[in-house]
Amino acid sequence: MRVTFLGTGAAGGVPLYGCACIACERARRDPRFVRRPCSALVEAGNTRILLDAGLMDLHERFAPGELDAIVLTHFHPDHLQGLFHLRWGVGARIPVYGPPDPEGCADLYKHPGLLEFHALSKFEPMTLGDVTLTPLPLIHSKATFGYAMESSDGARFAYLTDTLGLPPRTEAFLSQWQAHGLALDCSYPPQLEPKNHNDWTTALDVIGKVKPGRAWLTHLSHQVDAWLLDTGQSSPRATLASDGEQLELSAHSDGANR
């Protein structure tokens, strides 16, 4: 299984408009530190699945037929805004899966165009080509799923964003499932009372509990990057994901960066 982080940023991204912090200034100087809307591409066998659709150039990145499905974590704009343009294309329908949210986002349900929306159910596995994914409920301000994804050759990858900690049943599932790779929300440096998203401390606590083979932090804000630059903090439990980074996961080894 190959996983490509297409975007690793929290809402607003890095650099944040109008911000002159050290992280934003670094990203303006060096595009390696830019963080676009949080999303990933999962490839296994002949199957290609896009996780979240916040990138605004989806219609340019992916030619018709290149994606087997788009899978949404939730219906906040920074995770699906790319669908608003993509829907007006012509050709075959594009299946879009996500949590059961009757409100959706704006008028996507009313005017779906090419998009064909399907609601998933928590803890009920679904197979898309060479990938079986299990929706896992998360803790967020809107109905949100993370996904445990297993390829036909046994590689396991979990994608968990946006969330503040994990519900007990989701934590128990992941602890037993033993992911080879895990991508996890880490939107803030350490906070006294984090809200709606993991801070650094909560993210590392989750990783310590579910014990994946390897872990990457994503949905990263400019505050996290600035705090890390200022403190030099790091952790052996997790790696900071970067836009464009690729992971190769197998059932026989931990994830390797490319």
Side-chain angles (χ1 to χ4, degrees):
M1 178 189 290
R2 175 179 295 170
V3 178
T4 305
F5 290 112
L6 302 180
T8 59
V14 182
L16 186 71
Y17 179 77
C19 182
C21 76
I22 55 175
C24 290
E25 290 299 321
R26 180 182 64 167
R28 292 187 182 97
R29 293 191 305 268
D30 189 337
R32 292 178 301 170
F33 299 104
V34 169
R35 298 193 186 279
R36 297 174 181 83
C38 197
S39 59
L41 179 68
V42 174
E43 300 172 275
N46 295 316
T47 303
R48 304 179 87 215
I49 298 170
L50 179 65
L51 292 175
D52 278 338
L55 297 168
M56 295 296 286
D57 60 352
L58 295 180
H59 59 293
E60 298 173 346
R61 285 180 182 248
F62 300 106
E66 286 190 348
L67 292 175
D68 293 285
I70 298 172
V71 177
L72 303 177
T73 58
H74 64 301
F75 283 83
H76 276 153
D78 58 312
H79 290 261
L80 55 69
Q81 57 199 1
L83 298 181
F84 285 98
H85 187 87
L86 186 65
R87 63 177 168 171
W88 300 127
V90 297
R93 304 294 294 276
I94 301 172
V96 180
Y97 299 90
D101 185 338
E103 295 182 357
C105 183
D107 66 349
L108 280 174
Y109 286 162
K110 186 176 180 180
H111 301 291
L114 289 180
L115 308 176
E116 189 174 81
F117 287 96
H118 304 274
L120 300 175
S121 298
K122 58 186 179 182
F123 299 109
E124 291 189 9
M126 180 189 67
T127 298
L128 292 170
D130 293 300
V131 177
T132 298
L133 62 86
T134 302
L136 305 175
L138 300 179
I139 301 171
H140 196 46
S141 58
K142 201 168 178 62
T144 302
F145 281 161
Y147 296 98
M149 311 182 75
E150 183 169 2
S151 62
S152 55
D153 64 0
R156 291 180 170 182
F157 174 68
Y159 190 77
L160 310 176
T161 179
D162 303 23
T163 192
L164 175 54
L166 296 178
R169 189 177 172 191
T170 296
E171 181 181 308
F173 177 98
L174 290 168
S175 297
Q176 186 277 331
W177 193 65
Q178 297 184 327
H180 302 110
L182 165 70
L184 179 65
D185 181 301
C186 182
S187 296
Y188 303 115
Q191 309 277 293
L192 289 176
E193 295 183 6
K195 296 180 180 180
N196 218 27
H197 293 272
N198 289 334
D199 68 346
W200 177 265
T201 304
T202 308
L204 295 184
D205 182 59
V206 167
I207 292 166
K209 289 177 178 177
V210 303
K211 295 180 173 58
R214 286 195 65 184
W216 288 263
L217 301 178
T218 189
H219 207 275
L220 295 151
S221 67
H222 69 128
Q223 294 109 314
V224 175
D225 282 341
W227 175 74
L228 292 170
L229 283 169
D230 185 55
T231 64
Q233 184 74 36
S234 63
S235 172
R237 290 184 180 178
T239 301
L240 296 186
S242 300
D243 286 24
E245 182 177 2
Q246 287 188 341
L247 322 176
E248 296 287 349
L249 302 172
S250 75
H252 310 293
S253 63
D254 294 338
N257 298 42
R258 295 183 57 189

